[in-house]
Amino acid sequence: MNKREHLTDTIQHIDIKSFDARPIIDAYRSMAFQARNLATATDIYNRMLNDKNCSVILTLAGSLFSAGLKNVVVDMIENNMVDAIVSTGAIIVDQDFFEALGFKHYIGTPFEDDNKLRDLMIDRIYDTYIDEEELRVCDMTVAEIANNLEPRPYSSREFIFEMGRYLDGKGIKTEKSVVYSAYQKGVPIFVPAFSDCSAGFGLIHHQWHNKEKYLSIDSARDFLELTRIKIECAETGILMIGGGVPKNFTQDVVVATEVLDADRPMHKYAVQLTVADERDGALSGSTLKEASSWGKVDTTYEQMVFGEATVTMPLLVSDAYHRGYWKARKAANFQKLFQK
Amino acid sequence: MNKREHLTDTIQHIDIKSFDARPIIDAYRSMAFQARNLATATDIYNRMLNDKNCSVILTLAGSLFSAGLKNVVVDMIENNMVDAIVSTGAIIVDQDFFEALGFKHYIGTPFEDDNKLRDLMIDRIYDTYIDEEELRVCDMTVAEIANNLEPRPYSSREFIFEMGRYLDGKGIKTEKSVVYSAYQKGVPIFVPAFSDCSAGFGLIHHQWHNKEKYLSIDSARDFLELTRIKIECAETGILMIGGGVPKNFTQDVVVATEVLDADRPMHKYAVQLTVADERDGALSGSTLKEASSWGKVDTTYEQMVFGEATVTMPLLVSDAYHRGYWKARKAANFQKLFQK
Amino acid sequence: MNKREHLTDTIQHIDIKSFDARPIIDAYRSMAFQARNLATATDIYNRMLNDKNCSVILTLAGSLFSAGLKNVVVDMIENNMVDAIVSTGAIIVDQDFFEALGFKHYIGTPFEDDNKLRDLMIDRIYDTYIDEEELRVCDMTVAEIANNLEPRPYSSREFIFEMGRYLDGKGIKTEKSVVYSAYQKGVPIFVPAFSDCSAGFGLIHHQWHNKEKYLSIDSARDFLELTRIKIECAETGILMIGGGVPKNFTQDVVVATEVLDADRPMHKYAVQLTVADERDGALSGSTLKEASSWGKVDTTYEQMVFGEATVTMPLLVSDAYHRGYWKARKAANFQKLFQK
Amino acid sequence: MNKREHLTDTIQHIDIKSFDARPIIDAYRSMAFQARNLATATDIYNRMLNDKNCSVILTLAGSLFSAGLKNVVVDMIENNMVDAIVSTGAIIVDQDFFEALGFKHYIGTPFEDDNKLRDLMIDRIYDTYIDEEELRVCDMTVAEIANNLEPRPYSSREFIFEMGRYLDGKGIKTEKSVVYSAYQKGVPIFVPAFSDCSAGFGLIHHQWHNKEKYLSIDSARDFLELTRIKIECAETGILMIGGGVPKNFTQDVVVATEVLDADRPMHKYAVQLTVADERDGALSGSTLKEASSWGKVDTTYEQMVFGEATVTMPLLVSDAYHRGYWKARKAANFQKLFQK
């Protein structure tokens, strides 16, 4: 097969409005194991949305958008179901911004010969394919954005806002985009390891070719900005899809408010959907009860769900969408905090 | 809390007819990872049901019925969506037959002190509670059935049929029962490790108190009987929930037909829902491709789904129920093969 | 490659006497996570061996002997480090007895095409190959043994003893064999799902060709016999490699003594090496604390270790071998309990 | 128990020189599953050390040093077994630098009440305890270092070098320190998400209290610097403990050399020790074969090992230490690349 024959069927993003998961979640609630855990997690997310004093932070890790979950998050943004996002770089840049530039993800298979794919410049994510030449365009678009900005330190939040502005100017070449919707709705997106993705390629290209004057990404400022949001809103609920840096970073802001002598309460609600195991002691699978020992997460409303996110996240968000507590919420527009 | 205060909220069995999972499965089909795998698995199960020459064998392992999946299997039996069942003992005896005697499973928590539960004679399955005194009644009912049968070797299939007959005489004290529905529809149930459950307690009580003349459970005959079904029906599809002995036993019958010089084709369709990992080399997580090297499973239509069954199985079966291929199927009544 | 070219490098069984794991276990003891858990588990196993009143039951599940762990168990038997064994059938028949007949397991790869292996009649276990034609000889040897025995119900323990007798007559064609060593040392081996392996093929061949008079395998008697051992020895420690039926069956005997009005204490010591997860609620990954709620395992000395057994079991047993508490133990010879 | 009673037994770091793992690895090599994988991984690491043209990059993720693996890495640095390190922040700052300041990690239990621990200001990592008040000192020491540096963008590598200089000035208050040894040996340490740890607390304290002029952490520069190392050394081998950002970041530098039109070959050798699963499609568990489709890792010498690092890493490094190929290696001193 030649390259194009491998890249025929595109990943389609699930539309959580097109089906109503409420009867399923209602049934799961009186079962056991992960069905019941998923129902409990969904109930906690609904509780966050229904709590007038609570801001919702979504954390994202794993190849979620290449897998078809992008529009779930777009719907959350557009319906005031999330107030801030903390993510890995790949999701935001290589997957969302990439699609906004008009590129696609393709249905592949984990059983293909990877050396052959490399020769074709097809990158594989488990069972999904990406055209590496298109990814290079994405990298260079980031470089182009950097080249056109004032050379000074930026938080990732600030840079991603500029990516949204870029899309606003050029027009998005796909139906929906998280970067674009977040730009429009004032939902800040933080990527604490911003150079660890396609953006990194663009940024080193920028720095390499502008050795005298270049912009930089200040990861400390990311942390300070997210802490300012926590200081601002006080009560928070966190919906974590996967673990990694976004999970840790977001939990840490509670402690950060103390460090700034502006103590705010622990995250009042916390949900994590993950397949990570707690038994290697790593953060990704660590329990939310453990996070409580650190003073980060309250244990009253917390639930881990052991399940892969493409299956579980659409059920959780579809239930919340149809349950409708978001209708009484307003856009927090935390982006405004950072604009003069 | 006293014992009764721990045993208040009962597990409710999910009704896959009460919601329609088709739009969800349809959306999962163009996503990635386990959502797509679950859609593929569901499509294969639908293919089994739509293949006029194919008999469907369901294998069950894990604490599935105590978790609320009992009625899913009852609906499969009553709507000709399954022709034979191979299971662990706990599911059939400690959970299904137990509920048919009028007992319940209770919503519990994994965070309770197990020594305290032991003092209260409450048995815990992860987040579910059972009254151990009620389990003893179940054990003794098996002993009573054994005491009233002719003392000779029985297959587990034969003994479970007698348990169905017992329920038919006494009346089931719960809404639905797999043992009872299978008895009525002629769906044979095999439990290859039959003494490894509540039945074992009843049977050793029987043998201990009837030292001269007692019945025995011939596990070789189980294997011979399931092989006879494979010889009879030739084309088979297997839907495996969990792994363990039921998975291995059912895959093995293909080879068994060769051993009897009555060669039949590999299982034409195969699906497994499991969280087991392949990397320890054990059978439960071994891939269906690996099973193909053994000549047991054809690789054309096979799919593993990594996900916990309380979440995934209801979606798969609800889709198949509403897709409706079962309407054109007839009851195989394989039980008749073993009756003169 | 032709068949022989795939079957060149044989699996070699690790010799836990050839290295001393004590300094490693000593270092693991003051670390964290699974290193510390493995040290704790090893300490508990040493405690079992050092407890004069304690009998040790070893449970085996997973493809352990094809992976090179056979001689670990032989050394345990020959040095009085285990008093009874409960296993899956594949380990005892397809792997140990198979090698005793002079056949081998071969180093393979999980990345080979399984359809190609099937054409060559090579069976794959993850990264290990078996010659299927040799497995057929193993099946038929079981049939031959069955044909030469009195046609009546046998426990698996009794039949495996006859397999040991067969090897004693013919001579083993490999360096070491668990079936043979256990036969000689009077260590009973139970396989609760005895027809779920190569033995099943041999036994249905026997029953199919001897329709009037054939032997059967009484799985209830297995349970009764293991319970008799528990009644006899009272204090027990269990070392579980993997989960499955052997884990459940062995834990259940405590309750079985109550059912026979011969109450014996819970298993005093319990260790499990496994990669199974507790979050699907299945028995294989269920915690030993959970088993305590059932009255099966005491919680004072129990430890789960999350790790694959080829890595962890040799370290644990090597430590115990060199620590040397077995030197003061005598052979329990529980086989004698069942001989007149 | 009061706070001090919980914090009595300290974690001891394993000394891989004190035992010789070679006979174990030699035995594992002819077994199956993860034992064989660990032997293959060890052989590949030895091959890296024995390849005169190959530089070795170590990536670290998970709570490795709090678990007792710190001195393993110190020994690697001091014996020229590693040339650059990419890590999560917690390992380098909260765990290594923290101990260098004289603080300890304590043996705890996963079964303690986390609300109680929070009240005592004890932070839990699975089965390990930390005194949160001591962690605050660590945070503030980072702030102090930042306060004393010229206010401009720094790479994490540069800042961690300053942490080494700080320790050099004050003297380390523990036996060994990775930050300190790396400072002395010129081994650069990169932390791509540097604000996602104790350093983040120190840095936001610094920025908050120095609003006019403050230093920042330029994560793009981290990526550029690691890419410069790859450009410099051409042939590389990567030893990955855990996954996360360090795994992705380090694999990405191959592509980064192309982006800078300075193409260098794929990582020639690659090993990963992890318990992450590939089936959720996330990077941590993604296979090294998949990385090959991206042009990052050559498939000739690559091995994933499924096992928790406290058990597997000491065996791998002890074998390599005693195998002795490091004796012919020189310190690469990549730190010099970044100093004028």
Side-chain angles (χ1 to χ4, degrees):
Chain A
M1 286 204 287
N2 65 24
K3 183 166 185 170
R4 273 303 126 196
E5 288 167 328
H6 280 90
L7 305 177
T8 48
D9 298 318
T10 58
I11 297 286
Q12 307 290 323
H13 295 280
I14 193 167
D15 177 0
I16 52 87
K17 305 183 303 299
S18 73
F19 61 91
D20 184 350
R22 283 178 296 174
I24 299 172
I25 296 294
D26 284 339
Y28 283 174
R29 196 175 290 110
S30 299
M31 295 175 67
F33 311 156
Q34 302 311 316
R36 196 201 302 162
N37 285 352
L38 182 54
T40 303
T42 305
D43 293 347
I44 292 173
Y45 181 49
N46 280 316
R47 210 175 263 270
M48 293 185 212
L49 296 175
N50 197 31
D51 180 338
K52 293 296 169 290
N53 298 314
C54 176
S55 296
V56 175
I57 305 174
L58 173 69
T59 85
L60 301 170
S63 293
L64 304 175
F65 288 1
S66 67
L69 291 169
K70 183 183 70 174
N71 291 0
V72 177
V73 177
V74 171
D75 284 333
M76 291 171 70
I77 292 170
E78 298 196 339
N79 295 299
N80 299 332
M81 297 168 79
V82 58
D83 301 308
I85 294 172
V86 181
S87 177
T88 63
I91 291 172
I92 296 303
V93 187
D94 305 42
Q95 297 173 18
D96 183 84
F97 188 68
F98 172 82
E99 291 200 353
L101 296 176
F103 305 124
K104 296 284 185 189
H105 294 91
Y106 296 92
I107 290 178
T109 160
F111 304 109
E112 189 53 87
D113 179 336
D114 288 301
N115 289 315
K116 186 177 139 196
L117 292 176
R118 187 176 65 239
D119 290 343
L120 295 171
M121 294 197 74
I122 293 173
D123 297 338
R124 180 169 72 83
I125 299 176
Y126 195 57
D127 57 4
T128 304
Y129 294 155
I130 303 140
D131 183 341
E132 191 172 324
E133 293 168 279
E134 293 176 353
L135 260 185
R136 289 294 81 80
V137 177
C138 182
D139 301 346
M140 288 306 105
T141 308
V142 170
E144 179 194 338
I145 293 170
N147 291 338
N148 290 318
L149 288 173
E150 181 193 353
R152 58 166 176 82
Y154 289 75
S155 69
S156 68
R157 192 264 326 146
E158 200 174 5
F159 193 90
I160 293 164
F161 185 76
E162 294 301 329
M163 290 165 61
R165 194 196 304 273
Y166 174 92
L167 292 177
D168 196 36
K170 299 273 181 180
I172 62 171
K173 296 183 177 152
T174 184
E175 196 195 349
K176 295 178 175 192
S177 157
V178 163
V179 170
Y180 181 64
S181 288
Y183 170 80
Q184 293 204 304
K185 292 281 294 190
V187 173
I189 300 175
F190 297 89
V191 173
F194 192 58
S195 64
D196 182 39
C197 68
S198 174
F201 297 121
L203 289 168
I204 63 167
H205 190 273
H206 163 74
Q207 292 194 348
W208 186 259
H209 292 283
N210 297 275
K211 289 215 168 60
E212 295 310 305
K213 289 206 130 195
Y214 52 81
L215 68 72
S216 61
I217 299 296
D218 179 9
S219 73
R221 190 154 147 200
D222 275 325
F223 195 40
L224 191 54
E225 288 186 355
L226 188 63
T227 304
R228 279 191 58 198
I229 290 177
K230 176 67 185 170
I231 291 172
E232 185 75 14
C233 56
E235 294 288 19
T236 39
I238 49 178
L239 173 59
M240 293 172 280
I241 316 299
V245 167
K247 175 185 178 183
N248 195 52
F249 192 82
T250 306
Q251 293 192 354
D252 271 359
V253 294
V254 180
V255 180
T257 64
E258 296 170 34
V259 168
L260 302 186
D261 294 320
D263 304 36
R264 290 296 180 275
M266 289 185 286
H267 294 299
K268 186 173 178 181
Y269 311 97
V271 161
Q272 187 184 7
L273 312 183
T274 184
V275 299
D277 202 291
E278 68 169 321
R279 293 171 294 180
D280 70 345
L283 189 277
S284 287
S286 65
T287 64
L288 300 173
K289 293 188 198 308
E290 177 177 315
S292 173
S293 78
W294 294 74
K296 297 171 180 174
V297 173
D298 195 275
T299 55
T300 314
Y301 301 110
E302 57 83 13
Q303 184 65 55
M304 309 274 292
V305 183
F306 171 48
E308 198 267 303
T310 56
V311 172
T312 54
M313 189 189 188
L315 299 176
L316 181 146
V317 181
S318 173
D319 177 282
Y321 176 80
H322 289 93
R323 210 74 67 174
Y325 294 117
W326 53 270
K327 290 174 187 169
R329 292 186 100 240
K330 286 195 195 127
N333 197 353
F334 285 132
Q335 203 64 264
K336 262 194 294 189
L337 276 180
F338 310 109
Q339 288 159 337
K340 295 118 209 178
Chain B
M1 285 203 287
N2 66 23
K3 183 166 186 170
R4 274 305 125 195
E5 287 166 329
H6 279 89
L7 305 176
T8 49
D9 298 318
T10 58
I11 297 286
Q12 306 290 323
H13 295 279
I14 193 168
D15 177 0
I16 52 86
K17 305 183 304 298
S18 72
F19 61 90
D20 184 350
R22 284 178 297 174
I24 300 172
I25 296 294
D26 284 339
Y28 283 174
R29 197 175 290 109
S30 299
M31 294 176 69
F33 311 156
Q34 302 311 316
R36 196 202 301 162
N37 285 352
L38 181 54
T40 302
T42 304
D43 293 347
I44 292 173
Y45 180 49
N46 279 316
R47 210 175 264 272
M48 294 184 211
L49 295 175
N50 197 31
D51 181 338
K52 294 295 170 292
N53 298 314
C54 176
S55 296
V56 176
I57 305 174
L58 173 70
T59 84
L60 302 169
S63 293
L64 304 174
F65 288 2
S66 66
L69 290 169
K70 183 183 72 175
N71 291 0
V72 176
V73 178
V74 171
D75 284 332
M76 290 172 72
I77 292 170
E78 298 196 340
N79 295 299
N80 299 331
M81 297 169 80
V82 58
D83 301 308
I85 294 172
V86 181
S87 178
T88 63
I91 291 172
I92 296 303
V93 186
D94 304 43
Q95 297 173 16
D96 183 84
F97 188 69
F98 173 81
E99 291 200 353
L101 296 177
F103 305 123
K104 296 284 184 191
H105 294 91
Y106 296 92
I107 290 178
T109 162
F111 305 109
E112 189 52 88
D113 179 335
D114 288 302
N115 289 314
K116 184 177 139 196
L117 292 177
R118 187 176 64 240
D119 290 343
L120 295 172
M121 293 197 75
I122 294 174
D123 297 339
R124 180 170 72 84
I125 299 176
Y126 195 56
D127 58 4
T128 304
Y129 295 156
I130 304 140
D131 183 341
E132 191 171 323
E133 294 168 278
E134 293 176 354
L135 260 185
R136 289 293 84 78
V137 176
C138 181
D139 302 345
M140 287 306 105
T141 308
V142 171
E144 177 194 339
I145 293 171
N147 292 339
N148 289 318
L149 288 173
E150 180 192 355
R152 58 167 175 83
Y154 289 75
S155 68
S156 68
R157 193 264 325 146
E158 199 175 6
F159 193 89
I160 293 164
F161 185 77
E162 295 300 330
M163 289 164 61
R165 194 196 306 272
Y166 174 91
L167 293 177
D168 197 36
K170 299 273 182 180
I172 63 172
K173 296 182 179 153
T174 184
E175 196 194 350
K176 293 178 176 193
S177 157
V178 163
V179 169
Y180 181 65
S181 288
Y183 169 80
Q184 293 203 305
K185 292 281 294 190
V187 173
I189 299 174
F190 297 89
V191 173
F194 192 59
S195 63
D196 182 38
C197 69
S198 173
F201 297 120
L203 289 168
I204 62 168
H205 190 273
H206 163 75
Q207 291 194 350
W208 186 261
H209 292 284
N210 296 275
K211 288 213 170 61
E212 295 309 307
K213 290 206 129 194
Y214 53 80
L215 67 73
S216 62
I217 299 296
D218 180 8
S219 72
R221 191 155 148 199
D222 275 324
F223 194 40
L224 190 54
E225 288 185 354
L226 188 63
T227 303
R228 279 191 59 197
I229 290 177
K230 176 67 184 170
I231 292 172
E232 185 75 13
C233 57
E235 294 288 18
T236 39
I238 50 180
L239 174 58
M240 293 173 280
I241 315 300
V245 167
K247 175 184 179 182
N248 194 52
F249 192 83
T250 305
Q251 292 192 355
D252 270 359
V253 294
V254 179
V255 180
T257 64
E258 296 170 33
V259 169
L260 301 186
D261 294 319
D263 303 37
R264 290 296 180 275
M266 289 185 287
H267 294 298
K268 186 173 179 181
Y269 310 97
V271 161
Q272 187 184 6
L273 312 183
T274 184
V275 298
D277 201 291
E278 69 169 321
R279 292 171 294 179
D280 69 344
L283 189 275
S284 287
S286 65
T287 64
L288 300 173
K289 293 189 199 307
E290 178 178 316
S292 173
S293 78
W294 295 74
K296 297 172 180 174
V297 172
D298 195 276
T299 55
T300 313
Y301 300 110
E302 57 82 13
Q303 185 63 56
M304 309 274 293
V305 183
F306 170 49
E308 198 265 304
T310 55
V311 171
T312 54
M313 190 190 186
L315 298 176
L316 182 147
V317 181
S318 173
D319 178 282
Y321 177 80
H322 290 92
R323 210 72 70 173
Y325 294 117
W326 53 271
K327 291 174 186 167
R329 292 186 101 241
K330 287 195 195 125
N333 197 353
F334 285 132
Q335 203 62 267
K336 260 194 293 190
L337 277 180
F338 309 110
Q339 288 158 336
K340 292 117 208 180
Chain C
M1 285 204 288
N2 66 24
K3 183 166 186 170
R4 274 305 125 193
E5 288 167 328
H6 279 89
L7 305 177
T8 49
D9 298 318
T10 57
I11 297 286
Q12 306 290 323
H13 296 280
I14 193 168
D15 177 0
I16 50 87
K17 305 184 303 298
S18 71
F19 61 91
D20 184 350
R22 282 178 297 173
I24 300 172
I25 297 294
D26 284 339
Y28 283 173
R29 196 174 290 111
S30 298
M31 295 176 68
F33 311 157
Q34 302 312 315
R36 195 201 302 162
N37 285 351
L38 181 54
T40 303
T42 305
D43 292 348
I44 293 173
Y45 180 49
N46 280 316
R47 210 175 264 272
M48 293 184 211
L49 295 175
N50 196 31
D51 181 337
K52 294 295 170 292
N53 298 314
C54 176
S55 296
V56 176
I57 305 174
L58 173 70
T59 85
L60 301 170
S63 293
L64 304 175
F65 289 1
S66 67
L69 291 169
K70 183 183 70 174
N71 291 359
V72 176
V73 178
V74 171
D75 284 333
M76 291 172 71
I77 292 170
E78 298 196 339
N79 295 299
N80 300 331
M81 297 169 80
V82 58
D83 301 307
I85 294 172
V86 181
S87 178
T88 63
I91 291 172
I92 296 303
V93 186
D94 304 44
Q95 297 174 17
D96 182 85
F97 188 69
F98 172 82
E99 290 200 353
L101 296 177
F103 305 123
K104 296 284 185 190
H105 294 91
Y106 296 92
I107 290 178
T109 162
F111 304 110
E112 189 52 88
D113 179 335
D114 288 302
N115 289 315
K116 184 177 138 196
L117 292 177
R118 187 176 65 238
D119 290 343
L120 295 171
M121 295 197 75
I122 293 173
D123 297 339
R124 182 169 71 83
I125 298 176
Y126 195 57
D127 58 4
T128 303
Y129 295 157
I130 303 140
D131 183 341
E132 191 173 324
E133 294 168 279
E134 293 176 354
L135 260 185
R136 289 293 84 78
V137 177
C138 181
D139 301 346
M140 286 306 105
T141 307
V142 170
E144 177 194 338
I145 292 170
N147 292 339
N148 289 317
L149 289 173
E150 182 193 352
R152 58 167 175 83
Y154 289 75
S155 68
S156 67
R157 194 263 325 146
E158 199 175 6
F159 193 90
I160 293 163
F161 186 76
E162 295 300 329
M163 289 165 61
R165 194 197 304 273
Y166 174 92
L167 292 177
D168 196 37
K170 299 273 181 180
I172 63 172
K173 296 180 178 155
T174 185
E175 196 194 349
K176 293 178 176 193
S177 158
V178 163
V179 169
Y180 181 64
S181 289
Y183 170 79
Q184 293 204 304
K185 293 281 293 189
V187 173
I189 300 174
F190 297 89
V191 174
F194 193 59
S195 63
D196 182 38
C197 68
S198 173
F201 297 121
L203 290 168
I204 63 169
H205 190 273
H206 163 74
Q207 291 194 348
W208 185 261
H209 292 283
N210 297 275
K211 289 214 170 59
E212 295 310 306
K213 289 206 129 196
Y214 53 82
L215 68 72
S216 61
I217 299 296
D218 180 8
S219 72
R221 189 152 148 200
D222 275 323
F223 195 39
L224 190 54
E225 288 185 355
L226 189 62
T227 304
R228 279 191 58 197
I229 290 176
K230 176 68 186 170
I231 292 173
E232 186 74 15
C233 57
E235 295 288 19
T236 40
I238 49 179
L239 173 58
M240 294 173 279
I241 315 299
V245 167
K247 176 185 178 182
N248 195 51
F249 192 83
T250 305
Q251 293 192 355
D252 271 358
V253 294
V254 179
V255 180
T257 64
E258 296 170 33
V259 168
L260 301 187
D261 294 320
D263 303 38
R264 291 295 179 276
M266 290 186 286
H267 295 299
K268 186 173 179 181
Y269 310 97
V271 161
Q272 187 185 6
L273 311 183
T274 184
V275 299
D277 201 292
E278 69 170 319
R279 294 171 293 180
D280 70 344
L283 189 276
S284 287
S286 65
T287 64
L288 300 173
K289 293 188 198 309
E290 177 178 315
S292 172
S293 79
W294 294 74
K296 296 171 181 175
V297 173
D298 195 275
T299 55
T300 313
Y301 301 111
E302 58 82 12
Q303 184 64 56
M304 309 273 293
V305 183
F306 170 49
E308 198 265 304
T310 56
V311 172
T312 53
M313 189 190 187
L315 298 176
L316 181 147
V317 181
S318 173
D319 177 281
Y321 176 80
H322 290 91
R323 209 72 71 173
Y325 295 116
W326 52 271
K327 290 174 187 168
R329 291 186 101 241
K330 288 198 194 122
N333 198 352
F334 286 132
Q335 203 62 264
K336 261 195 294 191
L337 276 180
F338 309 109
Q339 288 159 337
K340 294 114 207 181
Chain D
M1 286 203 288
N2 66 24
K3 184 167 186 169
R4 274 303 125 192
E5 288 167 328
H6 279 90
L7 305 177
T8 50
D9 299 317
T10 58
I11 297 286
Q12 307 290 323
H13 296 280
I14 193 168
D15 177 0
I16 51 87
K17 305 184 302 301
S18 72
F19 61 91
D20 184 350
R22 283 179 297 174
I24 300 172
I25 296 294
D26 284 339
Y28 283 174
R29 196 175 290 109
S30 299
M31 295 176 68
F33 311 157
Q34 303 311 316
R36 196 201 303 161
N37 286 351
L38 181 54
T40 302
T42 305
D43 293 347
I44 292 172
Y45 180 49
N46 280 316
R47 210 175 264 270
M48 293 185 211
L49 295 176
N50 197 31
D51 181 338
K52 294 296 169 291
N53 298 314
C54 176
S55 296
V56 176
I57 305 174
L58 173 70
T59 85
L60 302 170
S63 294
L64 304 175
F65 289 0
S66 67
L69 291 169
K70 183 184 70 174
N71 291 359
V72 177
V73 178
V74 171
D75 285 332
M76 291 172 71
I77 292 170
E78 299 196 338
N79 295 298
N80 299 330
M81 298 169 79
V82 58
D83 301 307
I85 295 172
V86 181
S87 178
T88 63
I91 291 172
I92 296 303
V93 187
D94 305 42
Q95 296 173 18
D96 183 85
F97 188 69
F98 173 82
E99 291 201 354
L101 297 177
F103 305 123
K104 296 284 185 190
H105 294 90
Y106 296 92
I107 290 178
T109 160
F111 304 110
E112 187 54 85
D113 179 337
D114 288 302
N115 289 316
K116 185 177 139 195
L117 292 177
R118 188 176 64 240
D119 290 343
L120 295 171
M121 295 198 73
I122 293 173
D123 297 339
R124 181 170 71 83
I125 299 176
Y126 196 56
D127 57 4
T128 304
Y129 295 155
I130 303 141
D131 183 342
E132 191 172 324
E133 293 167 278
E134 294 176 352
L135 260 185
R136 289 294 83 79
V137 177
C138 182
D139 301 346
M140 287 305 106
T141 308
V142 171
E144 177 193 339
I145 293 171
N147 292 339
N148 290 317
L149 289 173
E150 181 192 353
R152 58 167 176 82
Y154 289 75
S155 68
S156 68
R157 194 262 327 145
E158 201 175 5
F159 193 89
I160 293 164
F161 186 76
E162 295 300 329
M163 289 165 62
R165 194 196 306 273
Y166 175 91
L167 292 177
D168 196 36
K170 299 273 182 180
I172 62 171
K173 297 183 177 152
T174 184
E175 196 195 351
K176 295 178 175 191
S177 157
V178 163
V179 169
Y180 182 64
S181 289
Y183 170 80
Q184 293 204 304
K185 293 279 295 190
V187 174
I189 300 174
F190 298 89
V191 173
F194 192 59
S195 63
D196 182 37
C197 67
S198 173
F201 297 121
L203 290 168
I204 63 169
H205 190 272
H206 163 74
Q207 292 195 347
W208 186 259
H209 292 284
N210 296 276
K211 288 216 169 61
E212 294 310 305
K213 288 205 131 195
Y214 52 80
L215 70 72
S216 62
I217 299 296
D218 180 7
S219 72
R221 189 152 148 201
D222 275 324
F223 195 39
L224 190 54
E225 289 186 353
L226 188 63
T227 304
R228 279 191 58 197
I229 290 177
K230 175 68 184 171
I231 291 173
E232 186 74 13
C233 57
E235 295 288 19
T236 39
I238 49 178
L239 173 58
M240 293 172 280
I241 315 299
V245 168
K247 176 186 179 182
N248 195 52
F249 192 82
T250 305
Q251 293 192 354
D252 270 0
V253 293
V254 179
V255 181
T257 64
E258 295 170 34
V259 169
L260 301 186
D261 294 321
D263 303 37
R264 290 296 180 274
M266 289 185 286
H267 294 299
K268 187 173 177 182
Y269 311 98
V271 161
Q272 188 185 4
L273 312 183
T274 184
V275 299
D277 201 291
E278 69 170 321
R279 293 171 293 181
D280 70 344
L283 189 277
S284 287
S286 66
T287 64
L288 300 173
K289 293 188 198 308
E290 178 177 316
S292 173
S293 78
W294 295 74
K296 297 171 181 175
V297 173
D298 195 275
T299 55
T300 313
Y301 301 110
E302 58 82 13
Q303 185 63 55
M304 310 273 292
V305 183
F306 170 50
E308 197 265 304
T310 55
V311 172
T312 54
M313 189 189 188
L315 298 176
L316 182 148
V317 181
S318 173
D319 177 283
Y321 177 80
H322 290 91
R323 210 73 70 173
Y325 295 116
W326 52 270
K327 291 174 187 169
R329 292 187 100 239
K330 287 196 194 123
N333 197 353
F334 285 132
Q335 203 62 266
K336 263 195 292 191
L337 277 180
F338 309 110
Q339 288 158 335
K340 295 116 207 180

